Short mmCIF file of all heavy atoms in Angstrom, two decimals:
data_model
loop_
_atom_site.label_atom_id
_atom_site.label_comp_id
_atom_site.label_asym_id
_atom_site.label_seq_id
_atom_site.Cartn_x
_atom_site.Cartn_y
_atom_site.Cartn_z
N LEU A 1 91.37 101.66 96.88
CA LEU A 1 91.04 101.54 98.29
C LEU A 1 91.21 102.87 99.02
O LEU A 1 90.40 103.24 99.87
CB LEU A 1 91.92 100.47 98.96
CG LEU A 1 91.37 99.06 99.10
CD1 LEU A 1 92.38 98.17 99.82
CD2 LEU A 1 90.04 99.04 99.83
N GLY A 2 92.28 103.57 98.69
CA GLY A 2 92.52 104.86 99.32
C GLY A 2 91.43 105.86 99.00
O GLY A 2 90.95 106.59 99.88
N ASP A 3 91.03 105.92 97.74
CA ASP A 3 89.94 106.83 97.34
C ASP A 3 88.64 106.45 98.05
O ASP A 3 87.91 107.32 98.54
CB ASP A 3 89.73 106.77 95.82
CG ASP A 3 90.89 107.36 95.04
OD1 ASP A 3 91.70 108.10 95.65
OD2 ASP A 3 90.99 107.06 93.83
N TRP A 4 88.37 105.16 98.08
CA TRP A 4 87.14 104.68 98.74
C TRP A 4 87.17 105.02 100.23
O TRP A 4 86.15 105.46 100.79
CB TRP A 4 87.03 103.17 98.53
CG TRP A 4 85.96 102.51 99.34
CD1 TRP A 4 84.63 102.44 99.04
CD2 TRP A 4 86.13 101.85 100.60
NE1 TRP A 4 83.96 101.77 100.04
CE2 TRP A 4 84.87 101.39 101.00
CE3 TRP A 4 87.23 101.59 101.40
CZ2 TRP A 4 84.67 100.68 102.18
CZ3 TRP A 4 87.05 100.88 102.59
CH2 TRP A 4 85.77 100.45 102.96
N GLN A 5 88.32 104.84 100.88
CA GLN A 5 88.42 105.13 102.30
C GLN A 5 88.13 106.60 102.57
O GLN A 5 87.45 106.95 103.55
CB GLN A 5 89.81 104.77 102.81
CG GLN A 5 89.96 104.87 104.32
CD GLN A 5 89.17 103.81 105.05
OE1 GLN A 5 89.38 102.62 104.82
NE2 GLN A 5 88.25 104.22 105.91
N LYS A 6 88.64 107.48 101.72
CA LYS A 6 88.36 108.91 101.88
C LYS A 6 86.86 109.18 101.75
O LYS A 6 86.30 109.99 102.48
CB LYS A 6 89.14 109.71 100.84
CG LYS A 6 90.65 109.72 101.04
CD LYS A 6 91.33 110.51 99.94
CE LYS A 6 92.84 110.49 100.09
NZ LYS A 6 93.51 111.24 98.98
N MET A 7 86.23 108.50 100.79
CA MET A 7 84.81 108.74 100.54
C MET A 7 83.95 108.30 101.73
O MET A 7 83.08 109.05 102.20
CB MET A 7 84.36 107.98 99.29
CG MET A 7 82.87 108.15 98.98
SD MET A 7 82.28 106.98 97.73
CE MET A 7 82.32 105.43 98.63
N VAL A 8 84.18 107.07 102.25
CA VAL A 8 83.33 106.57 103.33
C VAL A 8 83.56 107.37 104.61
O VAL A 8 82.63 107.56 105.41
CB VAL A 8 83.56 105.06 103.58
CG1 VAL A 8 83.12 104.26 102.35
CG2 VAL A 8 84.99 104.74 103.96
N ALA A 9 84.79 107.87 104.81
CA ALA A 9 85.07 108.68 106.00
C ALA A 9 84.44 110.07 105.88
O ALA A 9 83.89 110.60 106.84
CB ALA A 9 86.57 108.79 106.23
N ALA A 10 84.51 110.65 104.69
CA ALA A 10 83.94 111.98 104.49
C ALA A 10 82.42 111.97 104.64
O ALA A 10 81.82 112.98 105.02
CB ALA A 10 84.32 112.51 103.11
N SER A 11 81.78 110.83 104.36
CA SER A 11 80.32 110.75 104.41
C SER A 11 79.79 110.05 105.65
O SER A 11 78.60 109.78 105.75
CB SER A 11 79.80 110.02 103.16
OG SER A 11 80.37 108.71 103.08
N SER A 12 80.66 109.74 106.61
CA SER A 12 80.24 108.98 107.78
C SER A 12 79.19 109.73 108.60
O SER A 12 79.28 110.94 108.83
CB SER A 12 81.44 108.66 108.67
OG SER A 12 81.02 107.92 109.81
N LEU A 13 78.20 108.98 109.07
CA LEU A 13 77.17 109.53 109.95
C LEU A 13 77.65 109.61 111.39
O LEU A 13 77.00 110.25 112.23
CB LEU A 13 75.91 108.66 109.88
CG LEU A 13 75.25 108.53 108.51
CD1 LEU A 13 74.05 107.59 108.58
CD2 LEU A 13 74.83 109.89 107.99
N ASP A 14 78.77 108.97 111.70
CA ASP A 14 79.33 108.96 113.05
C ASP A 14 80.39 110.06 113.15
O ASP A 14 81.41 110.00 112.47
CB ASP A 14 79.95 107.60 113.34
CG ASP A 14 80.44 107.47 114.77
OD1 ASP A 14 80.63 108.50 115.45
OD2 ASP A 14 80.63 106.32 115.22
N PRO A 15 80.17 111.07 113.99
CA PRO A 15 81.16 112.16 114.10
C PRO A 15 82.56 111.69 114.45
O PRO A 15 83.55 112.31 114.05
CB PRO A 15 80.58 113.04 115.21
CG PRO A 15 79.12 112.73 115.22
CD PRO A 15 79.01 111.28 114.85
N GLU A 16 82.66 110.58 115.18
CA GLU A 16 83.97 110.08 115.57
C GLU A 16 84.71 109.43 114.41
O GLU A 16 85.94 109.30 114.44
CB GLU A 16 83.84 109.09 116.73
CG GLU A 16 83.32 109.72 118.02
CD GLU A 16 83.31 108.74 119.17
OE1 GLU A 16 83.76 107.59 118.97
OE2 GLU A 16 82.85 109.11 120.26
N LEU A 17 83.99 109.00 113.40
CA LEU A 17 84.60 108.37 112.23
C LEU A 17 84.71 109.33 111.05
O LEU A 17 85.46 109.08 110.11
CB LEU A 17 83.78 107.15 111.79
CG LEU A 17 83.64 106.01 112.81
CD1 LEU A 17 82.73 104.93 112.25
CD2 LEU A 17 84.99 105.43 113.17
N ARG A 18 83.95 110.44 111.12
CA ARG A 18 83.89 111.36 109.99
C ARG A 18 85.19 112.13 109.83
O ARG A 18 85.79 112.60 110.79
CB ARG A 18 82.73 112.32 110.17
CG ARG A 18 82.47 113.22 108.95
CD ARG A 18 81.34 114.19 109.24
NE ARG A 18 80.17 113.49 109.72
CZ ARG A 18 79.44 113.89 110.76
NH1 ARG A 18 79.78 114.99 111.43
NH2 ARG A 18 78.38 113.20 111.14
N SER A 19 85.63 112.24 108.58
CA SER A 19 86.82 113.00 108.25
C SER A 19 86.43 114.37 107.74
O SER A 19 85.48 114.50 106.96
CB SER A 19 87.64 112.26 107.19
OG SER A 19 88.66 113.09 106.68
N ASP A 20 87.15 115.39 108.18
CA ASP A 20 86.90 116.75 107.71
C ASP A 20 87.72 117.07 106.47
O ASP A 20 87.62 118.17 105.91
CB ASP A 20 87.24 117.76 108.81
CG ASP A 20 86.31 117.62 110.02
OD1 ASP A 20 85.15 117.25 109.81
OD2 ASP A 20 86.77 117.87 111.15
N GLU A 21 88.52 116.10 106.03
CA GLU A 21 89.36 116.31 104.85
C GLU A 21 88.51 116.38 103.59
O GLU A 21 87.70 115.49 103.32
CB GLU A 21 90.37 115.17 104.72
CG GLU A 21 91.29 115.29 103.51
CD GLU A 21 92.20 114.07 103.37
OE1 GLU A 21 92.15 113.18 104.24
OE2 GLU A 21 92.94 114.01 102.37
N GLU A 22 88.67 117.45 102.82
CA GLU A 22 87.92 117.57 101.58
C GLU A 22 88.53 116.69 100.49
O GLU A 22 89.75 116.54 100.41
CB GLU A 22 87.91 119.03 101.11
CG GLU A 22 87.12 119.97 102.00
CD GLU A 22 86.99 121.35 101.39
OE1 GLU A 22 87.36 121.51 100.22
OE2 GLU A 22 86.51 122.26 102.10
N LEU A 23 87.68 116.10 99.68
CA LEU A 23 88.15 115.25 98.60
C LEU A 23 88.74 116.13 97.50
O LEU A 23 88.08 117.05 97.01
CB LEU A 23 87.00 114.41 98.04
CG LEU A 23 86.34 113.44 99.04
CD1 LEU A 23 85.21 112.68 98.36
CD2 LEU A 23 87.35 112.49 99.64
N ASP A 24 89.97 115.83 97.12
CA ASP A 24 90.62 116.63 96.10
C ASP A 24 90.03 116.32 94.72
O ASP A 24 89.40 115.27 94.54
CB ASP A 24 92.13 116.38 96.10
CG ASP A 24 92.47 114.92 95.84
OD1 ASP A 24 92.45 114.50 94.67
OD2 ASP A 24 92.72 114.19 96.82
N PRO A 25 90.22 117.20 93.73
CA PRO A 25 89.62 117.01 92.40
C PRO A 25 89.98 115.66 91.76
O PRO A 25 89.12 115.04 91.13
CB PRO A 25 90.17 118.18 91.59
CG PRO A 25 90.44 119.25 92.62
CD PRO A 25 90.91 118.51 93.84
#
């Protein structure tokens, strides 16, 4: 769930929901 949450936030089309955190290796 944590990995998935990072993915959907990193790819969000909504700037308010988008995360700037880079996905670690």
Side-chain angles (χ1 to χ4, degrees):
L1 264 181
D3 292 342
W4 170 83
Q5 187 69 58
K6 292 178 182 179
M7 179 193 71
V8 296
S11 58
S12 180
L13 300 178
D14 185 341
E16 295 185 3
L17 299 176
R18 187 182 308 135
S19 169
D20 294 328
E21 179 184 357
E22 292 188 9
L23 299 180
D24 59 80

